[in-house]
Amino acid sequence: MSCEDENRGTVKVINNRYKPSGHFHYGSPNTPILNEMGKLLGVTNPRDITHIHSYGGEAIFFESLSKGKLLATRCDNPLCESHLSIYEPFRIHCPDCLVKATVLDITDLAKRTATVHSFMITERTGAFNTLEVPIKFVNVEFDGVCTILMGYLSLGNPKIGMKLLPIFNTKAPTYTILDISWVPAGTPESELPQNFTF
Amino acid sequence: MITFSDKQLKTPKMARPVYLVTGGMSKFARAFPDKRQEELCIDALTEAAEFIGMTPYELKKYIHTAYYGHFADHFGDQLLGEAAMHDRLGLDPLGNVGIKTGGATGGSTLWEAYKTVASGYSDCALAMGWERMDEVPTDEGNNYISFAADKDWETPLGHIYTGYYAVMAQRYWQIYGKEEDSFRRTMAEIAVKNRGYARMNPHAQGPMKITVEDVINSPVVAYPLLALDCCLMSVGAACGILADEKTAFELTDHPLRIDVAAGSHTLRVADRRNMEIPLLPNETKEQYADLGERFPGGDRYPGFTGFLAARMSAYYAYRMTGIHDPTEDLDLVELHDAFTISDIQTYEDIGIRPYGEGRTYVESGDCYHTNPNTGAPGKLPANLCGGLIGCMHAVGATGIMQVIEVGQHIWNRWAEMHSDEGKWKRFGREKPADWTDLQVKGAKRGLAISHAGVGSHVTCTILQDPNHTLEGGMFE
């Protein structure tokens, strides 16, 4: 079986139990590793596997990206020293009191205040990267939010203090963090990457 | 603004003093196609035994528990690798456990061995660390390492850990380095220094005789990080033997006092919240009142520019051992120079220099074996083994290797362990014609920092000659 198999594995959840179907792992024969004298030193162990992963309480965050929304959370426990702190990255529970946090839609706040805190540009990637190189990471701060979201810039060149706008992969979502990207403030919709909208 | 309670900031108080008896390490290299990992670990344990005139068989008779530092199971494609190693070392049925804290795994392994001896559970413990990073192609290795970041929020972004680090380097470069050419050259000097010291170390993987210009002209990885600013990816092993006082003096006439403390911070840099700077004994709150004015953008602590975990490991370790000012009280240090810029950040986190002034440790010449400005001995030499940039970063072994290197200076046996022609030959390496003895003369106290990822775990290990411990420590 090839890992290009059309019957590649998919998973559904029924009655809160995983129901996998299709092919999830693909083996191929190992091969010897020889030195220049033809002496055996080892073997290769090729394999292709698929992990099944729950987003748990963060699922709503990743699902909302596909709908053009950026969600954050806020601690609403009046007894907590971090009462009313807003977190982005989204945290399911307040890191101080561990009470379940309130989900907020900060899309409009992001559109008004997103600013580059730091950034980096690299041509290097690891295996399985799907972003175009050079990759431009941006660390994005928002007014009134106590943490700083990491993402990637799809257009232009980053600079500390630069104003940004969030864009969302609403047309062909991957349901990963790659479904949100950033562009310089003032970018017209016509210039957005394929599948992305404001 | 987050705060910490007095109970959280309590200085650790151990039940009894702990000693480093001996240590050893293997050759370090990018790949060992002809060796299994256990062969490298046995090399390290054999060197440790021979260092105190014993055979491995004799030394093993003293070991009561074993701690194994091995970060990345997936590189070796072997779960429970610790159990396999324990068996290969012939240490069953002794209790053993694996330690995994990213780049700090070596330091954390020592931390666990230290606590078990200090508590009285064991009179003698083995701390052994290793890493096997050569059994996947480099881009798959980068992918594996990127899973040390948050797999949902960060890893999909390029599958490249260096990038998650580089955003911190960028911020430091702009805020504290002010994007100055002179700062860029200072970063490069660290790479030149550490690769140059590695030339004197037969264990080292990356010795190079290079110039500042070579570093500055090396390929961009993620600006301001250039290829020669970055540490090595390595294979190898290192171990230490820790014991209580009675056992230590049975094994050797000259054991060293060892103390280890640890700190932590968020896995994602994104989650760092503002706080007041936890002060080290040589700092005051007032000295940082205008930090944001002197370095616009530097008023957010730890922000992206400091490592809280390193600060907290030193916060505890200095109070445990009586260190007031590391530059005055220590004779040498081994720091986690994963990147030249993070080396500078660490100078500030552990109080060698105040926040914002880390570069002056290099520019003053204090960090050198011999100060290039004056020709006199450096005030506090750093990374004389070559560090992660010049010697190696076989993750689980790194923090242990650093401590052994510091120990060899305090034992006054650095030249013996680095000049031996037989060792150079056995490792297939040519001893340089200008080989230089880097022994720090009269060294009595040293420090090693072991650091994970973007700062999730850091340990601070202090070694002291037992006849020259500082007043104010736990047992003084």
Side-chain angles (χ1 to χ4, degrees):
Chain A
M1 247 176 309
S2 152
C3 59
E4 302 302 320
D5 183 0
E6 287 182 4
N7 195 25
R8 190 162 185 120
T10 59
V11 180
K12 288 189 174 178
V13 173
I14 297 172
N15 292 330
N16 209 30
R17 299 184 69 169
Y18 287 121
K19 296 289 181 189
S21 62
H23 299 146
F24 276 82
H25 50 268
Y26 302 84
S28 50
N30 51 19
T31 57
I33 300 172
L34 310 175
N35 71 6
E36 60 273 48
M37 309 298 287
K39 184 182 170 194
L40 179 72
L41 294 178
V43 293
T44 65
N45 287 316
R47 81 190 67 125
D48 182 288
I49 60 173
T50 299
H51 285 264
I52 299 169
H53 171 51
S54 169
Y55 279 143
E58 291 182 1
I60 189 171
F61 171 86
F62 291 99
E63 187 175 30
S64 295
L65 296 180
S66 70
K67 298 172 181 170
K69 290 182 181 175
L70 177 61
L71 301 187
T73 52
R74 182 181 64 208
C75 176
D76 282 340
N77 176 7
L79 301 177
C80 177
E81 66 177 285
S82 300
H83 178 221
L84 300 180
S85 291
I86 298 174
Y87 298 95
E88 187 67 88
F90 182 108
R91 297 183 76 114
I92 303 164
H93 299 94
C94 167
D96 291 327
C97 66
L98 304 185
V99 168
K100 196 156 189 177
T102 304
V103 176
L104 302 177
D105 181 344
I106 65 161
T107 317
D108 288 338
L109 176 71
K111 287 178 178 173
R112 282 186 281 110
T113 70
T115 306
V116 174
H117 182 77
S118 193
F119 68 91
M120 76 97 214
I121 302 171
T122 185
E123 297 275 349
R124 301 194 181 196
T125 66
F128 309 113
N129 169 56
T130 57
L131 295 177
E132 284 182 26
V133 292
I135 297 173
K136 298 168 185 175
F137 288 172
V138 283
N139 305 87
V140 187
E141 54 184 65
F142 313 98
D143 286 358
V145 175
C146 68
T147 49
I148 295 172
L149 180 67
M150 185 152 81
Y152 64 104
L153 189 71
S154 285
L155 296 170
N157 285 310
K159 188 177 171 188
I160 290 177
M162 176 183 188
K163 293 291 182 188
L164 298 176
L165 287 174
I167 59 172
F168 301 90
N169 181 352
T170 54
K171 295 180 181 172
T174 62
Y175 303 103
T176 70
I177 196 67
L178 302 182
D179 285 348
I180 182 169
S181 181
W182 300 89
V183 293
T187 299
E189 185 139 24
S190 59
E191 291 185 13
L192 298 190
Q194 188 179 16
N195 299 323
F196 278 78
T197 57
F198 283 121
Chain B
M1 186 73 75
I2 59 174
T3 57
F4 308 102
S5 71
D6 291 343
K7 289 184 173 56
Q8 292 169 325
L9 296 177
K10 165 191 169 285
T11 299
K13 172 76 176 165
M14 314 314 286
R16 59 180 181 170
V18 180
Y19 291 79
L20 177 70
V21 173
T22 183
M25 62 191 87
S26 71
K27 173 185 173 181
F28 299 107
R30 177 68 186 88
F32 282 96
D34 59 343
K35 279 188 185 268
R36 290 178 66 92
Q37 188 57 53
E38 72 213 47
E39 297 173 75
L40 298 171
C41 289
I42 288 172
D43 285 349
L45 186 60
T46 300
E47 183 171 281
E50 291 175 348
F51 188 76
I52 52 172
M54 300 180 86
T55 65
Y57 179 77
E58 291 167 333
L59 179 57
K60 279 168 53 182
K61 294 296 181 193
Y62 286 83
I63 295 170
H64 182 256
T65 48
Y67 291 84
Y68 295 118
H70 170 220
F71 170 49
D73 288 329
H74 39 299
F75 272 93
D77 206 16
Q78 170 71 64
L79 296 182
L80 275 182
E82 300 82 7
M85 194 60 69
H86 197 61
D87 165 46
R88 302 301 198 279
L89 293 174
L91 288 171
D92 288 313
L94 305 178
N96 73 87
V97 69
I99 313 295
K100 298 183 193 309
T101 59
T105 295
S108 298
T109 305
L110 287 167
W111 188 44
E112 291 303 315
Y114 165 72
K115 289 184 291 181
T116 204
V117 173
S119 72
Y121 185 94
S122 295
D123 291 338
C124 183
L126 167 68
M128 172 75 79
W130 70 88
E131 212 67 50
R132 186 96 221 191
M133 304 187 84
D134 59 338
E135 298 203 320
V136 292
T138 300
D139 65 337
E140 291 181 24
N142 283 332
N143 174 59
Y144 274 155
I145 294 168
S146 77
F147 280 89
D150 186 299
K151 72 172 186 175
D152 290 330
W153 291 76
E154 295 172 320
T155 304
L157 297 165
H159 299 246
I160 183 78
Y161 201 92
T162 311
Y164 318 140
Y165 218 113
V167 297
M168 304 174 67
Q170 181 70 247
R171 185 85 186 170
Y172 190 94
W173 161 246
Q174 295 206 21
I175 302 296
Y176 291 110
K178 300 184 177 181
E179 301 182 83
E180 293 172 357
D181 288 344
S182 60
F183 183 72
R184 180 52 268 184
R185 293 183 71 82
T186 299
M187 289 168 60
E189 279 187 39
I190 296 167
V192 173
K193 171 177 78 75
N194 294 358
R195 285 190 169 79
Y197 289 153
R199 294 180 62 244
M200 312 307 160
N201 182 357
H203 296 268
Q205 174 189 338
M208 291 177 81
K209 194 170 187 176
I210 53 172
T211 65
V212 165
E213 282 66 33
D214 291 331
V215 179
I216 291 172
N217 293 326
S218 65
V220 175
V221 174
Y223 201 81
L225 300 178
L226 310 178
L228 290 175
D229 285 309
C230 303
C231 69
L232 301 160
M233 187 183 274
S234 312
V235 180
C239 73
I241 300 288
L242 279 65
D244 72 312
E245 188 165 286
K246 179 173 175 295
T247 310
F249 280 96
E250 277 180 42
L251 284 161
T252 176
D253 292 336
H254 195 184
L256 305 179
R257 274 282 305 280
I258 182 170
D259 291 286
V260 192
S264 69
H265 204 196
T266 58
L267 177 69
R268 297 181 297 216
V269 181
D271 292 311
R272 295 179 170 195
R273 291 182 286 165
N274 286 4
M275 65 188 72
E276 286 190 6
I277 299 174
L279 297 173
L280 296 179
N282 61 339
E283 295 177 323
T284 63
K285 189 174 179 179
E286 292 69 33
Q287 77 184 90
Y288 292 126
D290 64 347
L291 191 62
E293 292 168 30
R294 288 185 284 132
F295 300 97
D299 45 2
R300 185 174 180 129
Y301 182 83
F304 279 30
T305 52
F307 294 115
L308 177 65
R311 168 55 54 125
M312 293 312 299
S313 70
Y315 181 97
Y316 293 122
Y318 291 178
R319 288 166 169 86
M320 290 163 73
T321 55
I323 292 172
H324 178 77
D325 182 339
T327 309
E328 295 298 327
D329 296 335
L330 300 171
D331 299 304
L332 75 155
V333 296
E334 285 286 336
L335 306 179
H336 188 95
D337 54 334
F339 303 99
T340 53
I341 203 163
S342 60
D343 202 47
I344 295 174
Q345 290 171 276
T346 302
Y347 309 155
E348 301 171 0
D349 295 317
I350 66 170
I352 292 174
R353 288 293 189 275
Y355 280 111
E357 299 173 33
R359 61 188 289 177
T360 66
Y361 178 45
V362 180
E363 292 162 357
S364 66
D366 285 354
C367 69
Y368 287 84
H369 177 267
T370 302
N371 187 322
N373 303 325
T374 65
K379 179 92 174 161
L380 184 65
N383 293 17
L384 296 175
C385 70
L388 283 67
I389 286 176
C391 179
M392 69 87 163
H393 190 22
V395 180
T398 304
I400 299 173
M401 175 278 289
Q402 295 171 304
V403 169
I404 302 308
E405 282 282 337
V406 171
Q408 289 174 357
H409 285 279
I410 303 176
W411 278 311
N412 197 27
R413 293 178 65 181
W414 190 90
E416 171 193 338
M417 298 305 292
H418 294 76
S419 69
D420 175 32
E421 302 280 355
K423 183 183 276 189
W424 284 91
K425 193 172 178 184
R426 192 168 72 250
F427 289 169
R429 289 175 173 152
E430 189 175 347
K431 187 176 177 182
D434 61 348
W435 185 87
T436 305
D437 182 358
L438 298 178
Q439 169 70 45
V440 174
K441 291 190 170 51
K444 304 298 181 202
R445 293 180 289 273
L447 165 154
I449 292 292
S450 188
H451 173 125
V454 294
S456 63
H457 306 72
V458 176
T459 64
C460 179
T461 299
I462 308 293
L463 286 185
Q464 301 184 76
D465 182 315
N467 296 319
H468 295 85
T469 54
L470 291 164
E471 288 183 13
M474 278 180 292
F475 299 104
E476 318 315 323

